[in-house]
Amino acid sequence: MQRSDTPVVRVVATPTDMNINDGAFGGWVLSLMDQAGAVTGVSVCAGPVATIAVNNVSFEQRIELGDIVSVFADDVEFGTTSVTVSLQVTAENPTTGETRRAAAGTFVVVAVDANGEPRKIDGDYARSRDARPRER
Amino acid sequence: MQRSDTPVVRVVATPTDMNINDGAFGGWVLSLMDQAGAVTGVSVCAGPVATIAVNNVSFEQRIELGDIVSVFADDVEFGTTSVTVSLQVTAENPTTGETRRAAAGTFVVVAVDANGEPRKIDGDYARSRDARPRER
Amino acid sequence: MQRSDTPVVRVVATPTDMNINDGAFGGWVLSLMDQAGAVTGVSVCAGPVATIAVNNVSFEQRIELGDIVSVFADDVEFGTTSVTVSLQVTAENPTTGETRRAAAGTFVVVAVDANGEPRKIDGDYARSRDARPRER
Amino acid sequence: MQRSDTPVVRVVATPTDMNINDGAFGGWVLSLMDQAGAVTGVSVCAGPVATIAVNNVSFEQRIELGDIVSVFADDVEFGTTSVTVSLQVTAENPTTGETRRAAAGTFVVVAVDANGEPRKIDGDYARSRDARPRER
Amino acid sequence: MQRSDTPVVRVVATPTDMNINDGAFGGWVLSLMDQAGAVTGVSVCAGPVATIAVNNVSFEQRIELGDIVSVFADDVEFGTTSVTVSLQVTAENPTTGETRRAAAGTFVVVAVDANGEPRKIDGDYARSRDARPRER
Amino acid sequence: MQRSDTPVVRVVATPTDMNINDGAFGGWVLSLMDQAGAVTGVSVCAGPVATIAVNNVSFEQRIELGDIVSVFADDVEFGTTSVTVSLQVTAENPTTGETRRAAAGTFVVVAVDANGEPRKIDGDYARSRDARPRER
């Protein structure tokens, strides 16, 4: 599936999210990415998912206080029971409008049933579905 | 200014955001709207803003746990020192993709200088600027 | 109903509540007001309520870190299924004791039954009840 | 100093504050008491304080989700550099209005200067001051 | 029971935990201690507990932003239905490795059954059990 | 460097940390791991660090509400300016004492100077230092 220009998650970096060194906490950025991966997975799988793996995360540019932080799903691949989501994080200075790539990484989620056991993904449904956010 | 199809803020409703009655806290939704109004104002005014008024907020449909909550800036008007942002909140069930209007309201922010005093908005700049989120 | 001198909600502004510009987040103040409106409504309606509208909110004086923030219910009106609460927010510097009006606004809540549907308010009960906080 | 009928701190117990066993976290109640002790100390000492001791805390009745939790300063004693505040915590069911004593305890704070060193309290000032919350 | 060298709780002090005066909030430290007391109690009692008393808490050295804060259970005594845990809190500067005692105090928890009523502790089980954290 | 039996971070899973599906949020676990990686890096580098990469994270067993979650640094390697920390996360049921491996992964942090630029690590110092938590 191709990338979407609509962010899956989009928030403002507040003082609570800031590290001692003044950039945003890596852990906070990872949480946003995990949330974006999960939401994308739920949408493709039409049901609950659980994160099972994280790979190739790079932190590229520091996120400043007040930046608008967006997580985009650049690519979504699905297997029998799992979905692999390539995520990209951008940070925008709302005063200047300058936007930069802040982080990227791959999150893998697995579709689960009511008992938390893996369940098969309906491939036709998943393919037919635009996994990324729908507009109003 | 015309509305944008890109949300200013977009998050998932987590257990922390849920009321005793199981819908999302009204106060949490108001916080998201305030953040969206402020970010829109900073973008138009090219500098810090402070919220000064909130009007005509209606809560229309309950937000459920796990919904994707988006705040859109439908309209942005600016005066000498203030910006009026018409906000709309939607809630999307990520499993079914069903999206509904959850709330709407008007937030007014004022451009402030380093001392927190109101400052004039550069009208040409504000008009030239698409106040709503820019894509990558 | 007449105003009460006892706050419905009273907290200290901590670093978590502070904006980038150093005053308290508007969204945080709105959350406190929403909580005060809801508690007042529950008390008058003797059961759960949901916020349905917010109007005429003005932010008048900035709230500083460490201020004691109180929300008062100045007036409470009730209709068939809804309660309209006029709220006032004050901020007190605990070091000097100086207190100022920080914000005000009107919150409307609706009484709901177990299914979240509006239910009639018992007017006699509501009138007989002092909706505002009771002392020990 | 005599007790006040106005709470120093007053909040609603939300899902975030609830323990696994469904009553409020003891740690959350202790945080509210610490905040009430500190605010009372700042008021009497006309400057910053730090908590140095906690004693005789008893948890008497469980606090339920949705209860209005109030912390009262029943008694305030001051020494050369420290203030001892006897705190009482009540929980009110907003639906029924039923109020019960939930906890009590003694918090000692010390007045500190800009370097965090203890400083003398002005006894006349402290005595002249009603240390408890002032009305509007 | 003798003390353990493994902390029951161990976290880093973040900006959210910091007081206006720049040391950690007393209330935050009390929350960590309460959590450590509860976990120790659950372990000894093999079931849920509720905090019923706190005594002799002293705050000895200020905790700085970025310090590693550990809570140790120095001693654990058990009665018919309650467990008394002597807790010690240390703060370590991760840059220099310098560690100091920051606080200490005694937390009493009571074993409760499904209805929240006190239940008898199995003394043999409690004695046979190392109440403090187990290694991998 | 060899692994340590003392956790770098150790906390209890509270309702706030729980996912809609009832296990702990993956993002919360990643935040704990990031914090453990950072603390370990600060200790080895004797100064501030920033996370630059995350790899090979696997979520192996679900973390339940009330579990004691510990993050251990199993191995620490250092390069010219960076430190690679192999982390392991365990979850312990405090009632039964049963402990299982919940997650693992590799976090890379870089030593930074006051301007946030990478700085060389003192290899002798780093080697001489036990990077993992020191006892009291």
Side-chain angles (χ1 to χ4, degrees):
Chain A
M1 257 184 231
Q2 292 298 110
R3 81 170 206 189
S4 163
D5 279 347
T6 304
V8 186
V9 168
R10 186 179 189 101
V11 297
V12 177
T14 68
T16 307
D17 312 318
M18 289 295 111
N19 205 332
I20 298 169
N21 305 331
D22 259 11
F25 279 113
W28 177 69
V29 178
L30 290 166
S31 289
L32 293 178
M33 295 173 85
D34 183 59
Q35 200 173 56
V39 163
T40 304
V42 167
S43 181
V44 170
C45 302
V49 299
T51 306
I52 53 165
V54 179
N55 269 299
N56 300 319
V57 176
S58 57
F59 292 95
E60 297 166 17
Q61 300 270 337
R62 176 170 140 145
I63 295 174
E64 308 285 343
L65 186 60
D67 280 352
I68 307 172
V69 179
S70 304
V71 187
F72 296 91
D74 274 357
D75 192 60
V76 180
E77 306 284 342
F78 32 85
T80 312
T81 62
S82 70
V83 181
T84 302
V85 189
S86 299
L87 296 165
Q88 187 180 152
V89 182
T90 64
E92 175 189 335
N93 178 320
T95 304
T96 64
E98 173 259 336
T99 301
R100 59 205 182 284
R101 188 171 140 127
T106 303
F107 280 63
V108 185
V109 301
V110 64
V112 292
D113 61 20
N115 302 316
E117 295 302 312
R119 66 176 173 79
K120 278 207 176 152
I121 296 174
D122 177 341
D124 289 338
Y125 179 86
R127 264 182 297 277
S128 74
R129 181 103 180 239
D130 181 2
R132 265 66 54 85
R134 277 157 300 285
E135 298 312 309
R136 288 179 285 182
Chain B
M1 254 182 234
Q2 293 297 111
R3 80 169 209 190
S4 164
D5 279 346
T6 305
V8 186
V9 168
R10 186 179 190 100
V11 297
V12 177
T14 68
T16 307
D17 311 318
M18 288 295 112
N19 205 332
I20 298 168
N21 304 331
D22 258 11
F25 279 114
W28 176 68
V29 178
L30 291 166
S31 290
L32 293 178
M33 296 173 83
D34 184 59
Q35 200 173 56
V39 162
T40 304
V42 166
S43 181
V44 170
C45 302
V49 299
T51 305
I52 52 164
V54 178
N55 269 298
N56 300 319
V57 177
S58 57
F59 292 95
E60 297 165 17
Q61 300 271 337
R62 176 170 140 143
I63 297 174
E64 308 286 343
L65 186 62
D67 279 351
I68 309 172
V69 180
S70 306
V71 188
F72 297 90
D74 273 358
D75 191 60
V76 180
E77 306 285 341
F78 30 87
T80 312
T81 61
S82 70
V83 180
T84 301
V85 189
S86 299
L87 296 165
Q88 188 180 153
V89 182
T90 63
E92 175 187 336
N93 179 319
T95 304
T96 64
E98 172 260 335
T99 302
R100 59 206 182 282
R101 188 170 140 129
T106 304
F107 279 64
V108 185
V109 301
V110 64
V112 291
D113 62 19
N115 302 317
E117 296 300 314
R119 66 176 175 78
K120 279 208 176 150
I121 296 173
D122 178 340
D124 288 340
Y125 179 86
R127 265 182 297 277
S128 75
R129 182 101 178 243
D130 181 2
R132 266 65 53 84
R134 277 157 301 283
E135 297 312 311
R136 289 177 286 181
Chain C
M1 256 182 233
Q2 292 297 111
R3 81 168 207 191
S4 163
D5 279 348
T6 305
V8 186
V9 169
R10 187 180 189 102
V11 297
V12 177
T14 69
T16 307
D17 311 318
M18 288 295 113
N19 205 331
I20 299 168
N21 304 331
D22 258 11
F25 279 114
W28 177 68
V29 178
L30 290 166
S31 290
L32 293 178
M33 294 173 85
D34 183 59
Q35 199 173 57
V39 162
T40 304
V42 167
S43 181
V44 171
C45 303
V49 299
T51 306
I52 52 165
V54 179
N55 269 298
N56 299 319
V57 176
S58 57
F59 291 96
E60 297 167 16
Q61 301 269 338
R62 177 170 139 142
I63 296 174
E64 310 285 343
L65 186 60
D67 279 352
I68 308 172
V69 180
S70 305
V71 188
F72 297 90
D74 273 358
D75 192 59
V76 180
E77 305 285 343
F78 31 87
T80 312
T81 62
S82 70
V83 180
T84 301
V85 189
S86 300
L87 296 165
Q88 188 179 153
V89 182
T90 63
E92 175 186 336
N93 178 320
T95 304
T96 63
E98 173 259 336
T99 301
R100 58 206 183 284
R101 187 169 140 130
T106 303
F107 279 63
V108 185
V109 301
V110 64
V112 291
D113 61 20
N115 303 316
E117 296 302 313
R119 66 175 172 80
K120 279 208 177 151
I121 297 173
D122 177 340
D124 289 339
Y125 178 86
R127 262 181 299 276
S128 75
R129 182 101 178 243
D130 181 1
R132 265 65 54 85
R134 276 156 300 285
E135 298 312 309
R136 290 178 283 184
Chain D
M1 256 182 234
Q2 293 296 112
R3 80 166 207 191
S4 164
D5 279 346
T6 304
V8 186
V9 167
R10 185 179 190 102
V11 298
V12 177
T14 69
T16 308
D17 312 319
M18 289 296 112
N19 205 330
I20 299 168
N21 303 331
D22 259 11
F25 278 115
W28 176 68
V29 178
L30 290 166
S31 289
L32 293 178
M33 295 174 84
D34 183 59
Q35 199 173 56
V39 162
T40 305
V42 166
S43 181
V44 170
C45 302
V49 300
T51 306
I52 51 165
V54 178
N55 268 299
N56 300 319
V57 176
S58 57
F59 292 96
E60 296 165 18
Q61 300 270 338
R62 176 171 141 141
I63 296 175
E64 308 287 344
L65 186 60
D67 279 352
I68 308 172
V69 179
S70 305
V71 187
F72 297 90
D74 274 358
D75 192 60
V76 180
E77 306 284 342
F78 29 87
T80 312
T81 62
S82 71
V83 180
T84 301
V85 188
S86 300
L87 296 165
Q88 186 180 153
V89 182
T90 64
E92 175 188 335
N93 179 320
T95 303
T96 64
E98 171 259 337
T99 302
R100 58 206 182 282
R101 188 170 140 128
T106 303
F107 280 63
V108 185
V109 300
V110 65
V112 291
D113 61 22
N115 303 316
E117 296 302 312
R119 67 177 173 77
K120 277 207 177 152
I121 296 173
D122 178 340
D124 287 339
Y125 178 87
R127 264 181 298 276
S128 76
R129 182 97 180 247
D130 181 1
R132 265 65 54 85
R134 275 157 301 285
E135 296 313 308
R136 290 178 284 181
Chain E
M1 256 183 232
Q2 292 298 110
R3 79 166 207 191
S4 163
D5 279 346
T6 304
V8 187
V9 168
R10 186 181 190 101
V11 296
V12 177
T14 68
T16 307
D17 311 318
M18 288 295 114
N19 205 331
I20 300 169
N21 304 331
D22 259 11
F25 278 113
W28 176 68
V29 178
L30 290 167
S31 289
L32 293 178
M33 295 173 83
D34 183 58
Q35 200 173 58
V39 163
T40 304
V42 167
S43 182
V44 171
C45 302
V49 300
T51 306
I52 52 165
V54 179
N55 269 298
N56 300 320
V57 176
S58 57
F59 292 96
E60 296 166 17
Q61 301 270 338
R62 177 171 140 144
I63 295 174
E64 309 285 344
L65 187 60
D67 279 352
I68 308 171
V69 179
S70 305
V71 187
F72 297 90
D74 274 358
D75 191 61
V76 181
E77 306 285 342
F78 29 87
T80 312
T81 63
S82 71
V83 180
T84 301
V85 188
S86 300
L87 296 165
Q88 186 179 153
V89 182
T90 64
E92 175 188 335
N93 178 320
T95 305
T96 63
E98 172 259 337
T99 301
R100 59 207 183 284
R101 188 171 140 129
T106 303
F107 280 63
V108 185
V109 301
V110 64
V112 291
D113 61 21
N115 302 316
E117 297 302 312
R119 65 176 175 79
K120 278 207 177 153
I121 296 174
D122 177 341
D124 288 340
Y125 179 86
R127 263 180 299 276
S128 75
R129 182 96 179 248
D130 180 1
R132 264 66 54 86
R134 276 157 302 283
E135 295 314 308
R136 289 178 284 184
Chain F
M1 252 183 235
Q2 292 298 111
R3 80 167 207 189
S4 164
D5 280 345
T6 305
V8 186
V9 168
R10 186 179 190 101
V11 298
V12 177
T14 69
T16 307
D17 311 319
M18 288 296 113
N19 205 331
I20 298 169
N21 304 331
D22 258 13
F25 279 113
W28 176 68
V29 178
L30 290 166
S31 289
L32 293 178
M33 295 173 84
D34 183 60
Q35 199 173 57
V39 162
T40 304
V42 166
S43 182
V44 171
C45 301
V49 301
T51 306
I52 52 165
V54 178
N55 269 298
N56 300 319
V57 176
S58 57
F59 292 95
E60 297 166 17
Q61 300 271 335
R62 176 172 141 142
I63 296 174
E64 308 286 344
L65 186 61
D67 279 351
I68 308 172
V69 179
S70 305
V71 188
F72 297 90
D74 273 358
D75 191 60
V76 181
E77 305 286 341
F78 29 88
T80 313
T81 62
S82 70
V83 180
T84 301
V85 188
S86 300
L87 296 165
Q88 186 180 154
V89 181
T90 63
E92 175 187 336
N93 178 319
T95 303
T96 63
E98 171 260 337
T99 302
R100 60 206 181 283
R101 188 170 140 129
T106 304
F107 280 63
V108 185
V109 301
V110 63
V112 291
D113 62 20
N115 303 317
E117 296 301 313
R119 67 177 174 77
K120 279 208 176 151
I121 296 173
D122 177 341
D124 287 341
Y125 179 87
R127 262 181 298 277
S128 75
R129 183 98 178 246
D130 181 1
R132 265 65 54 86
R134 276 158 299 286
E135 298 312 310
R136 289 178 284 185

